Amino acid sequence: MAAELPEAARAEFADRAGTLEAVLRYGSAAAGVPHLEIRLLETEVEAYLASGEEDRRRAALERIEPVAQGRRALFEAIVRHGPGPASDVPRGVSTARAGDAEYVRFVPESYSPDRPAPLVIALHGQGGNGAWAVDLLDDEAGRRGWLVAAPSADPERGLGWSTYGVELVLAVLRDMKRTFRVDPERIYLDGVSMGGHAALALAGLAADEFAAVACRAGSGESFFRLQGDSAADLRHVGVYMVHGASDVLVKPASAQGTARLLEAAGVDHVLRVLPAKGHLDFAEENAAVFDWLAAHRRPRYPERLDKTLAADRYGRAYWLSVDSIFTRGETVRLKLEGPSGEVFETIEVQRSPAVVHAELGRGNQIEVHADRVSTLRVALSGEMFDLDREVRIRVDGKTRFEGKVERSVAYLLERCRVDAERDRLYWNEVTIRLPR
C-alpha cells in the first residue's frame, strides 16, 4: 500500500497542478503567478460579469483593480478565456427566457463549455415561431456542433427593424452569450421570409454582432434604401441569399435589387435564384447555407468601418458609436403597423442620413469622415493602439482629440458585462462633439 503524502506535500502538489492548468488556459500571462492569486482574480471577474447586484459588482471591482493594474495581461486573459458558463444545461431543444422574451434553443450533444461553439440566431416568418425556426436548422446544427436560438415574436409586431424586433433578437443573443460559451467570431443570422427581411436589417443595424447572414425568401432592398443606401454597413458581414424564381409573395426582383446594392458596396455575398421554386424555407439548402456561414468570421477590431443612420438609434459599429445626429432637411414619420392595422411604433427617418467612415491609421491615429453627426464615441483597445502613448483622433481633417487615454478596469468590465461580450476588450473611450 502506497504511503500517504503529508498534508503540506499534497497542498504543494495541488498548487503546482493548479498553476499548470492556469498556464495551459492563459499562456505565459499566468507563468510565475501564485495559483491562489489566479483563482481569486477568476472568481471576482466571474462574479462581476455575472452579478445583477451593483453592490456585489462594486465589491468585486475593489478586489480586481489592484491585481489587474499590476498583472494586465493575466487580467485580459481571464476576462477573455475565464471559466465562463456552467455545463449543466440541457442538450437538445428547450424553451428559455431572456427578460420578457421567450425563445427556443437547440444545444448539440457535443457541446462543451470548454470549447467555444458557433451560434445561429434563427428568425421565423410571419405566422411562425421559434420552435418552427429551430426545427428547420437543428439537424444540420447538430451534425456540426452548433448552437441555435430562435425568438418567438409577437404576431402583431413581428420581426424586423422596429425597436421591438431589434431588441428582441439582441436580448436573446445576450442571454445565449451569458449561458453558453459562444464563439464571438462565429455568430450568424438565418431568417425566412419576414425573418429574412429582419436578418438583413439586423445585420445592418448591429453589424458588429454578426459574422454572416442567410436570407431565405426575403429582401433587404427597402431597408437599405430607407437607411440611405446603407448596404456598406455590412462591409464585414457575409450575405447568403436564396430565393424562388416563382415566389409571388417576395418577388425575385427584390432579392436581385438587394444583391445589386450589396455588390455596389463591396459586400461579400451570394444570391441563388432557384427555378420553379416559390416562397419556401429551402431546407434542402441547409448544408450550403451552413458552409457559407462557417467560412466567415467577425473581425475583432476592423481597420475600416462605415455607419449610416437615417434615425437617431443603433449607432454603434464595432469600436465607434454615433450617439446623436443633426436633423436637416426632410423628416419622414414612418408608422409601423401589425397585421391588424394597429400602429405599434412610429420612427422619424431622415431623407438625408448621417454617414460616418472611419479608419485606423498609423501612428496611434484614427481618421473619421462624418456628415450630419453631432456626437460620437471611440472605444480604445490595447490591441488597436499603444495606450502608453498619445492617441490622435482626426475628424474631417481636424484633430478633435490628442492625448493619453487612461486604462479603466471598471470601464472594461462594465462594457463586457452589459454587452455580454468577452472577446473585444476596450479599456476606455473618447467622446467627441462636432459642430453643426
CSV table of all heavy atoms in Angstrom, one decimal, residues 156-206:
chain,number,residue,atom,x,y,z
A,156,GLU,N,-48.3,40.6,-33.6
A,156,GLU,CA,-48.7,41.9,-34.0
A,156,GLU,C,-47.5,42.8,-34.3
A,156,GLU,O,-47.7,43.9,-35.0
A,156,GLU,CB,-49.6,42.6,-33.0
A,156,GLU,CG,-51.1,42.2,-33.1
A,156,GLU,CD,-51.7,42.6,-34.4
A,156,GLU,OE1,-51.6,43.8,-34.8
A,156,GLU,OE2,-52.3,41.8,-35.0
A,157,ARG,N,-46.4,42.5,-33.8
A,157,ARG,CA,-45.2,43.3,-34.1
A,157,ARG,C,-44.1,42.7,-34.9
A,157,ARG,O,-43.4,43.3,-35.6
A,157,ARG,CB,-44.6,43.8,-32.7
A,157,ARG,CG,-45.5,44.7,-32.0
A,157,ARG,CD,-44.9,45.2,-30.7
A,157,ARG,NE,-45.0,44.2,-29.6
A,157,ARG,CZ,-44.5,44.4,-28.4
A,157,ARG,NH1,-44.0,45.5,-28.0
A,157,ARG,NH2,-44.6,43.4,-27.5
A,158,GLY,N,-44.1,41.4,-34.9
A,158,GLY,CA,-43.2,40.6,-35.8
A,158,GLY,C,-41.7,40.9,-35.6
A,158,GLY,O,-41.3,41.4,-34.6
A,159,LEU,N,-41.0,40.4,-36.6
A,159,LEU,CA,-39.5,40.7,-36.6
A,159,LEU,C,-39.2,41.7,-37.7
A,159,LEU,O,-39.8,41.7,-38.7
A,159,LEU,CB,-38.8,39.3,-36.9
A,159,LEU,CG,-38.9,38.3,-35.8
A,159,LEU,CD1,-38.5,36.9,-36.3
A,159,LEU,CD2,-38.0,38.6,-34.6
A,160,GLY,N,-38.2,42.5,-37.5
A,160,GLY,CA,-37.8,43.5,-38.5
A,160,GLY,C,-36.9,44.5,-37.9
A,160,GLY,O,-36.2,44.3,-36.9
A,161,TRP,N,-37.0,45.7,-38.4
A,161,TRP,CA,-36.1,46.8,-37.9
A,161,TRP,C,-36.8,47.7,-36.9
A,161,TRP,O,-36.3,48.7,-36.5
A,161,TRP,CB,-35.6,47.6,-39.1
A,161,TRP,CG,-36.6,48.3,-39.9
A,161,TRP,CD1,-37.5,47.8,-40.8
A,161,TRP,CD2,-36.9,49.7,-39.9
A,161,TRP,NE1,-38.3,48.8,-41.3
A,161,TRP,CE2,-37.9,50.0,-40.8
A,161,TRP,CE3,-36.3,50.8,-39.2
A,161,TRP,CZ2,-38.4,51.3,-41.0
A,161,TRP,CZ3,-36.8,52.1,-39.4
A,161,TRP,CH2,-37.8,52.3,-40.3
A,162,SER,N,-38.0,47.4,-36.5
A,162,SER,CA,-38.6,48.1,-35.4
A,162,SER,C,-37.8,47.9,-34.1
A,162,SER,O,-37.0,47.0,-34.0
A,162,SER,CB,-40.1,47.6,-35.1
A,162,SER,OG,-40.0,46.2,-34.6
A,163,THR,N,-38.0,48.8,-33.2
A,163,THR,CA,-37.3,48.7,-31.9
A,163,THR,C,-37.6,47.4,-31.2
A,163,THR,O,-36.7,46.7,-30.7
A,163,THR,CB,-37.6,49.9,-31.0
A,163,THR,OG1,-37.3,51.1,-31.7
A,163,THR,CG2,-36.8,49.8,-29.7
A,164,TYR,N,-38.9,47.0,-31.3
A,164,TYR,CA,-39.2,45.7,-30.7
A,164,TYR,C,-38.5,44.6,-31.3
A,164,TYR,O,-37.9,43.7,-30.6
A,164,TYR,CB,-40.7,45.5,-30.8
A,164,TYR,CG,-41.2,44.1,-30.5
A,164,TYR,CD1,-41.3,43.6,-29.2
A,164,TYR,CD2,-41.4,43.2,-31.6
A,164,TYR,CE1,-41.6,42.3,-29.0
A,164,TYR,CE2,-41.7,41.9,-31.3
A,164,TYR,CZ,-41.8,41.4,-30.0
A,164,TYR,OH,-42.2,40.1,-29.8
A,165,GLY,N,-38.5,44.6,-32.6
A,165,GLY,CA,-37.9,43.4,-33.4
A,165,GLY,C,-36.4,43.3,-33.1
A,165,GLY,O,-35.8,42.3,-32.9
A,166,VAL,N,-35.7,44.5,-33.1
A,166,VAL,CA,-34.3,44.5,-32.9
A,166,VAL,C,-33.9,44.1,-31.4
A,166,VAL,O,-33.1,43.3,-31.2
A,166,VAL,CB,-33.7,45.9,-33.2
A,166,VAL,CG1,-32.2,45.9,-32.9
A,166,VAL,CG2,-33.9,46.2,-34.7
A,167,GLU,N,-34.6,44.7,-30.5
A,167,GLU,CA,-34.3,44.4,-29.1
A,167,GLU,C,-34.6,43.0,-28.7
A,167,GLU,O,-34.0,42.4,-27.9
A,167,GLU,CB,-35.1,45.4,-28.2
A,167,GLU,CG,-34.6,46.8,-28.3
A,167,GLU,CD,-33.1,46.9,-27.9
A,167,GLU,OE1,-32.7,46.3,-26.9
A,167,GLU,OE2,-32.4,47.7,-28.6
A,168,LEU,N,-35.7,42.4,-29.3
A,168,LEU,CA,-36.0,41.0,-29.1
A,168,LEU,C,-34.8,40.1,-29.5
A,168,LEU,O,-34.4,39.2,-28.7
A,168,LEU,CB,-37.2,40.6,-29.9
A,168,LEU,CG,-37.6,39.1,-29.9
A,168,LEU,CD1,-38.0,38.7,-28.5
A,168,LEU,CD2,-38.8,38.9,-30.9
A,169,VAL,N,-34.3,40.3,-30.6
A,169,VAL,CA,-33.2,39.5,-31.1
A,169,VAL,C,-31.9,39.7,-30.3
A,169,VAL,O,-31.2,38.7,-29.9
A,169,VAL,CB,-32.9,39.7,-32.6
A,169,VAL,CG1,-31.7,39.0,-33.0
A,169,VAL,CG2,-34.1,39.3,-33.4
A,170,LEU,N,-31.6,41.0,-30.0
A,170,LEU,CA,-30.4,41.2,-29.2
A,170,LEU,C,-30.5,40.7,-27.8
A,170,LEU,O,-29.5,40.3,-27.2
A,170,LEU,CB,-30.1,42.8,-29.2
A,170,LEU,CG,-29.8,43.4,-30.5
A,170,LEU,CD1,-29.5,44.9,-30.4
A,170,LEU,CD2,-28.6,42.7,-31.2
A,171,ALA,N,-31.7,40.7,-27.2
A,171,ALA,CA,-31.9,40.1,-25.8
A,171,ALA,C,-31.6,38.6,-25.8
A,171,ALA,O,-31.0,38.1,-24.9
A,171,ALA,CB,-33.3,40.4,-25.3
A,172,VAL,N,-32.1,37.9,-26.9
A,172,VAL,CA,-31.8,36.5,-27.0
A,172,VAL,C,-30.4,36.3,-27.2
A,172,VAL,O,-29.8,35.3,-26.6
A,172,VAL,CB,-32.7,35.9,-28.1
A,172,VAL,CG1,-32.2,34.5,-28.4
A,172,VAL,CG2,-34.2,36.0,-27.8
A,173,LEU,N,-29.7,37.1,-28.0
A,173,LEU,CA,-28.3,36.9,-28.3
A,173,LEU,C,-27.5,37.1,-27.0
A,173,LEU,O,-26.6,36.3,-26.7
A,173,LEU,CB,-27.8,37.9,-29.3
A,173,LEU,CG,-26.3,38.0,-29.6
A,173,LEU,CD1,-25.8,36.6,-30.0
A,173,LEU,CD2,-26.0,39.0,-30.6
A,174,ARG,N,-27.8,38.1,-26.2
A,174,ARG,CA,-27.1,38.4,-25.0
A,174,ARG,C,-27.3,37.2,-24.0
A,174,ARG,O,-26.4,36.8,-23.3
A,174,ARG,CB,-27.5,39.7,-24.3
A,174,ARG,CG,-27.0,40.9,-25.1
A,174,ARG,CD,-27.2,42.2,-24.3
A,174,ARG,NE,-28.6,42.5,-24.2
A,174,ARG,CZ,-29.2,43.3,-25.0
A,174,ARG,NH1,-28.6,43.9,-26.0
A,174,ARG,NH2,-30.5,43.6,-24.9
A,175,ASP,N,-28.5,36.7,-23.9
A,175,ASP,CA,-28.8,35.6,-23.0
A,175,ASP,C,-28.0,34.3,-23.4
A,175,ASP,O,-27.5,33.6,-22.5
A,175,ASP,CB,-30.3,35.3,-23.0
A,175,ASP,CG,-30.7,34.4,-21.8
A,175,ASP,OD1,-30.5,34.8,-20.6
A,175,ASP,OD2,-31.1,33.2,-22.1
A,176,MET,N,-27.9,34.1,-24.7
A,176,MET,CA,-27.2,32.9,-25.1
A,176,MET,C,-25.7,33.1,-24.8
A,176,MET,O,-25.0,32.1,-24.4
A,176,MET,CB,-27.3,32.7,-26.6
A,176,MET,CG,-28.7,32.2,-27.0
A,176,MET,SD,-29.0,30.5,-26.5
A,176,MET,CE,-27.9,29.5,-27.5
A,177,LYS,N,-25.1,34.3,-25.0
A,177,LYS,CA,-23.7,34.5,-24.7
A,177,LYS,C,-23.4,34.4,-23.2
A,177,LYS,O,-22.3,34.0,-22.8
A,177,LYS,CB,-23.3,35.9,-25.2
A,177,LYS,CG,-23.2,35.9,-26.8
A,177,LYS,CD,-22.5,37.1,-27.3
A,177,LYS,CE,-23.1,38.4,-27.1
A,177,LYS,NZ,-22.4,39.5,-27.7
A,178,ARG,N,-24.4,34.7,-22.4
A,178,ARG,CA,-24.2,34.6,-20.9
A,178,ARG,C,-24.4,33.1,-20.4
A,178,ARG,O,-23.8,32.7,-19.4
A,178,ARG,CB,-25.2,35.5,-20.2
A,178,ARG,CG,-24.9,37.0,-20.4
A,178,ARG,CD,-25.8,37.8,-19.5
A,178,ARG,NE,-25.5,39.2,-19.7
A,178,ARG,CZ,-26.3,40.2,-20.2
A,178,ARG,NH1,-27.5,39.8,-20.5
A,178,ARG,NH2,-25.9,41.4,-20.2
A,179,THR,N,-25.1,32.4,-21.2
A,179,THR,CA,-25.5,31.0,-20.7
A,179,THR,C,-24.5,30.0,-21.3
A,179,THR,O,-24.2,28.9,-20.7
A,179,THR,CB,-26.9,30.6,-21.2
A,179,THR,OG1,-27.8,31.6,-20.7
A,179,THR,CG2,-27.3,29.3,-20.6
A,180,PHE,N,-24.0,30.2,-22.5
A,180,PHE,CA,-23.1,29.2,-23.2
A,180,PHE,C,-21.8,29.9,-23.6
A,180,PHE,O,-21.7,31.1,-23.6
A,180,PHE,CB,-23.8,28.7,-24.5
A,180,PHE,CG,-25.1,28.1,-24.2
A,180,PHE,CD1,-26.3,28.8,-24.3
A,180,PHE,CD2,-25.2,26.7,-23.9
A,180,PHE,CE1,-27.5,28.2,-24.0
A,180,PHE,CE2,-26.4,26.1,-23.6
A,180,PHE,CZ,-27.6,26.8,-23.7
A,181,ARG,N,-20.8,29.0,-23.8
A,181,ARG,CA,-19.5,29.5,-24.4
A,181,ARG,C,-19.7,29.6,-25.9
A,181,ARG,O,-19.4,28.7,-26.6
A,181,ARG,CB,-18.4,28.6,-24.0
A,181,ARG,CG,-17.0,29.3,-24.3
A,181,ARG,CD,-15.8,28.5,-23.8
A,181,ARG,NE,-15.7,28.6,-22.4
A,181,ARG,CZ,-15.1,29.6,-21.7
A,181,ARG,NH1,-14.6,30.6,-22.4
A,181,ARG,NH2,-14.9,29.6,-20.4
A,182,VAL,N,-20.2,30.8,-26.3
A,182,VAL,CA,-20.4,31.1,-27.7
A,182,VAL,C,-19.1,31.6,-28.3
A,182,VAL,O,-18.5,32.4,-27.7
A,182,VAL,CB,-21.6,32.1,-27.9
A,182,VAL,CG1,-21.7,32.5,-29.3
A,182,VAL,CG2,-22.9,31.5,-27.4
A,183,ASP,N,-18.8,31.2,-29.5
A,183,ASP,CA,-17.6,31.7,-30.2
A,183,ASP,C,-18.0,33.1,-30.7
A,183,ASP,O,-18.9,33.2,-31.6
A,183,ASP,CB,-17.3,30.8,-31.4
A,183,ASP,CG,-16.0,31.2,-32.1
A,183,ASP,OD1,-15.6,32.4,-32.0
A,183,ASP,OD2,-15.3,30.4,-32.7
A,184,PRO,N,-17.5,34.2,-30.2
A,184,PRO,CA,-17.9,35.5,-30.6
A,184,PRO,C,-17.6,35.9,-32.0
A,184,PRO,O,-18.2,36.8,-32.6
A,184,PRO,CB,-17.1,36.4,-29.6
A,184,PRO,CG,-15.9,35.6,-29.3
A,184,PRO,CD,-16.4,34.2,-29.2
A,185,GLU,N,-16.7,35.1,-32.7
A,185,GLU,CA,-16.3,35.4,-34.0
A,185,GLU,C,-17.2,34.6,-35.0
A,185,GLU,O,-17.2,34.9,-36.2
A,185,GLU,CB,-14.9,35.0,-34.3
A,185,GLU,CG,-13.9,35.9,-33.6
A,185,GLU,CD,-12.4,35.5,-33.9
A,185,GLU,OE1,-12.2,34.5,-34.7
A,185,GLU,OE2,-11.5,36.2,-33.5
A,186,ARG,N,-18.1,33.8,-34.5
A,186,ARG,CA,-18.9,32.9,-35.3
A,186,ARG,C,-20.4,33.0,-34.9
A,186,ARG,O,-21.0,31.9,-34.5
A,186,ARG,CB,-18.4,31.5,-35.4
A,186,ARG,CG,-17.0,31.4,-36.1
A,186,ARG,CD,-16.6,30.0,-36.3
A,186,ARG,NE,-16.3,29.3,-35.0
A,186,ARG,CZ,-16.1,28.0,-34.9
A,186,ARG,NH1,-16.2,27.2,-36.0
A,186,ARG,NH2,-15.9,27.4,-33.8
A,187,ILE,N,-21.0,34.1,-34.9
A,187,ILE,CA,-22.4,34.3,-34.6
A,187,ILE,C,-23.1,34.7,-35.9
A,187,ILE,O,-22.6,35.7,-36.5
A,187,ILE,CB,-22.6,35.4,-33.5
A,187,ILE,CG1,-21.9,34.9,-32.2
A,187,ILE,CG2,-24.1,35.6,-33.2
A,187,ILE,CD1,-21.9,36.0,-31.1
A,188,TYR,N,-24.1,34.0,-36.2
A,188,TYR,CA,-24.8,34.2,-37.5
A,188,TYR,C,-26.3,34.4,-37.4
A,188,TYR,O,-26.9,34.1,-36.4
A,188,TYR,CB,-24.5,32.9,-38.4
A,188,TYR,CG,-23.1,32.5,-38.4
A,188,TYR,CD1,-22.6,31.4,-37.8
A,188,TYR,CD2,-22.2,33.2,-39.2
A,188,TYR,CE1,-21.3,31.0,-37.8
A,188,TYR,CE2,-20.9,32.8,-39.3
A,188,TYR,CZ,-20.4,31.7,-38.6
A,188,TYR,OH,-19.1,31.3,-38.6
A,189,LEU,N,-26.9,35.0,-38.4
A,189,LEU,CA,-28.3,35.1,-38.6
A,189,LEU,C,-28.8,34.3,-39.7
A,189,LEU,O,-28.1,34.2,-40.8
A,189,LEU,CB,-28.7,36.6,-38.8
A,189,LEU,CG,-28.5,37.6,-37.7
A,189,LEU,CD1,-28.6,39.0,-38.2
A,189,LEU,CD2,-29.7,37.4,-36.7
A,190,ASP,N,-30.0,33.7,-39.6
A,190,ASP,CA,-30.6,32.9,-40.6
A,190,ASP,C,-32.1,33.1,-40.5
A,190,ASP,O,-32.7,32.7,-39.6
A,190,ASP,CB,-30.2,31.4,-40.5
A,190,ASP,CG,-30.7,30.6,-41.7
A,190,ASP,OD1,-31.7,31.0,-42.4
A,190,ASP,OD2,-30.1,29.5,-41.9
A,191,GLY,N,-32.7,33.8,-41.6
A,191,GLY,CA,-34.1,34.1,-41.5
A,191,GLY,C,-34.8,33.7,-42.7
A,191,GLY,O,-34.3,33.7,-43.8
A,192,VAL,N,-36.1,33.4,-42.6
A,192,VAL,CA,-37.0,33.0,-43.7
A,192,VAL,C,-38.1,34.1,-43.8
A,192,VAL,O,-38.8,34.4,-42.8
A,192,VAL,CB,-37.6,31.6,-43.4
A,192,VAL,CG1,-38.6,31.2,-44.5
A,192,VAL,CG2,-36.5,30.6,-43.2
A,193,SER,N,-38.4,34.5,-45.0
A,193,SER,CA,-39.5,35.5,-45.3
A,193,SER,C,-39.3,36.7,-44.5
A,193,SER,O,-38.4,37.4,-44.5
A,193,SER,CB,-40.8,34.7,-45.2
A,193,SER,OG,-41.8,35.5,-45.7
A,194,MET,N,-40.3,36.9,-43.6
A,194,MET,CA,-40.2,38.1,-42.7
A,194,MET,C,-38.9,38.0,-41.9
A,194,MET,O,-38.2,39.0,-41.7
A,194,MET,CB,-41.4,38.1,-41.7
A,194,MET,CG,-41.3,39.1,-40.6
A,194,MET,SD,-42.6,39.0,-39.3
A,194,MET,CE,-42.0,37.5,-38.4
A,195,GLY,N,-38.5,36.8,-41.5
A,195,GLY,CA,-37.2,36.6,-40.8
A,195,GLY,C,-36.0,36.9,-41.6
A,195,GLY,O,-35.0,37.4,-41.2
A,196,GLY,N,-36.2,36.7,-43.0
A,196,GLY,CA,-35.1,37.1,-43.9
A,196,GLY,C,-35.0,38.6,-44.0
A,196,GLY,O,-33.8,39.1,-44.0
A,197,HIS,N,-36.1,39.3,-44.1
A,197,HIS,CA,-36.0,40.7,-44.1
A,197,HIS,C,-35.3,41.2,-42.9
A,197,HIS,O,-34.5,42.1,-42.9
A,197,HIS,CB,-37.4,41.4,-44.2
A,197,HIS,CG,-38.3,40.9,-45.3
A,197,HIS,ND1,-37.9,40.7,-46.5
A,197,HIS,CD2,-39.7,40.7,-45.3
A,197,HIS,CE1,-38.9,40.3,-47.3
A,197,HIS,NE2,-40.0,40.3,-46.6
A,198,ALA,N,-35.8,40.6,-41.7
A,198,ALA,CA,-35.2,41.1,-40.4
A,198,ALA,C,-33.8,40.8,-40.3
A,198,ALA,O,-33.0,41.6,-39.7
A,198,ALA,CB,-36.0,40.4,-39.3
A,199,ALA,N,-33.3,39.6,-40.8
A,199,ALA,CA,-31.9,39.3,-40.7
A,199,ALA,C,-31.0,40.3,-41.4
A,199,ALA,O,-30.0,40.7,-40.9
A,199,ALA,CB,-31.7,37.9,-41.3
A,200,LEU,N,-31.4,40.7,-42.6
A,200,LEU,CA,-30.6,41.7,-43.3
A,200,LEU,C,-30.7,43.1,-42.6
A,200,LEU,O,-29.7,43.8,-42.5
A,200,LEU,CB,-31.1,41.9,-44.7
A,200,LEU,CG,-30.8,40.7,-45.6
A,200,LEU,CD1,-31.5,40.8,-47.0
A,200,LEU,CD2,-29.3,40.6,-45.9
A,201,ALA,N,-31.9,43.5,-42.1
A,201,ALA,CA,-32.0,44.7,-41.3
A,201,ALA,C,-31.1,44.7,-40.1
A,201,ALA,O,-30.4,45.6,-39.8
A,201,ALA,CB,-33.4,45.0,-41.0
A,202,LEU,N,-31.1,43.6,-39.3
A,202,LEU,CA,-30.3,43.4,-38.1
A,202,LEU,C,-28.8,43.5,-38.4
A,202,LEU,O,-28.1,44.0,-37.7
A,202,LEU,CB,-30.7,42.2,-37.4
A,202,LEU,CG,-31.9,42.3,-36.5
A,202,LEU,CD1,-32.5,40.9,-36.3
A,202,LEU,CD2,-31.5,42.8,-35.1
A,203,ALA,N,-28.5,42.8,-39.5
A,203,ALA,CA,-27.1,42.8,-39.9
A,203,ALA,C,-26.6,44.2,-40.2
A,203,ALA,O,-25.4,44.5,-40.1
A,203,ALA,CB,-26.9,41.9,-41.1
A,204,GLY,N,-27.5,45.1,-40.7
A,204,GLY,CA,-27.1,46.5,-40.9
A,204,GLY,C,-27.1,47.3,-39.6
A,204,GLY,O,-26.2,48.1,-39.4
A,205,LEU,N,-28.1,47.1,-38.8
A,205,LEU,CA,-28.2,47.9,-37.5
A,205,LEU,C,-27.2,47.5,-36.5
A,205,LEU,O,-26.8,48.3,-35.7
A,205,LEU,CB,-29.6,47.8,-37.0
A,205,LEU,CG,-30.7,48.5,-37.8
A,205,LEU,CD1,-32.1,48.1,-37.3
A,205,LEU,CD2,-30.6,50.0,-37.9
A,206,ALA,N,-26.9,46.2,-36.5
A,206,ALA,CA,-26.0,45.7,-35.4
A,206,ALA,C,-24.9,44.8,-36.1
A,206,ALA,O,-24.7,43.7,-35.7
A,206,ALA,CB,-26.7,44.9,-34.4
